[in-house]
Amino acid sequence: MLFSHLKPKLKNILANTQKTKEHLLTEVCELLEANVTYYDWVGFYFANHTEKTLHLKAFAGEPTDHTVIPFGKGICGQVAVSNSNFVVPDVKAQDNYIACSITVKAELVVPLFKNGENIGQIDIDSNTADPFTEEDERFLEWVNEEVAKIL
């Protein structure tokens, strides 16, 4: 499967100690967006628990106006509160959805934990309806575990 081919590439990116963490996160986003056909936008948001907001730190895909998201708002904001994966097969069916692009049909958000605390998340937008499987969730959980090691 494609995900198994991406794992060593991702580990190589994260092993580079010469680059900033933000640059490494951008490279991870670019790797995923370029190699998974239905990952049309990939980004990492990080939590500011004092302000109860998420802040976009790295992404690949079209630029977004949604660089700061309040906890509880949209799919990302809901994951900041629930600490659980959120798979949205059809964004039009979601009441609490923040539209980043009219082409987005589905979204998957997986929380990123460090020392047991939800410090952020990886957010995937897809222009394909209902593309995400449990395999995507397990892979992105693994990605977040690897990313947490460098944070």
Side-chain angles (χ1 to χ4, degrees):
M1 173 55 195
L2 175 68
F3 294 137
S4 62
H5 294 2
L6 291 177
K7 285 182 175 185
K9 293 177 182 181
L10 187 127
K11 280 184 172 265
N12 262 359
I13 288 170
L14 295 176
N16 187 333
T17 57
Q18 304 302 310
K19 295 181 180 176
T20 66
K21 290 173 184 163
E22 196 163 299
H23 189 89
L24 297 177
L25 292 173
T26 299
E27 285 189 24
V28 168
C29 292
E30 290 169 347
L31 175 76
L32 299 180
E33 191 263 344
N35 287 281
V36 183
T37 57
Y38 51 94
Y39 286 13
D40 296 296
W41 190 91
V42 178
F44 281 100
Y45 285 91
F46 287 90
N48 178 322
H49 290 285
T50 305
E51 295 178 9
K52 298 207 176 303
T53 52
L54 294 164
H55 298 263
L56 183 63
K57 295 294 180 198
F59 72 94
E62 292 295 315
T64 179
D65 292 335
H66 304 286
T67 58
V68 179
I69 300 172
F71 283 14
K73 183 136 175 71
I75 307 309
C76 291
Q78 291 177 74
V79 169
V81 174
S82 73
N83 299 321
S84 300
N85 297 355
F86 198 154
V87 181
V88 182
D90 178 6
V91 295
K92 290 182 190 140
Q94 281 296 313
D95 291 337
N96 190 0
Y97 171 71
I98 301 171
C100 290
S101 166
I102 58 168
T103 59
V104 174
K105 292 187 170 69
E107 185 172 8
L108 170 57
V109 180
V110 176
L112 194 162
F113 295 95
K114 177 84 175 175
N115 300 323
E117 180 183 16
N118 182 349
I119 62 164
Q121 54 203 230
I122 190 167
D123 179 19
I124 312 290
D125 287 348
S126 181
N127 298 339
T128 304
D130 196 13
F132 303 117
T133 66
E134 188 172 320
E135 191 173 9
D136 290 282
E137 288 187 74
R138 298 300 82 81
F139 174 66
L140 293 170
E141 288 167 355
W142 178 86
V143 168
N144 281 353
E145 288 170 9
E146 294 301 308
V147 165
K149 292 176 184 175
I150 68 157
L151 299 175

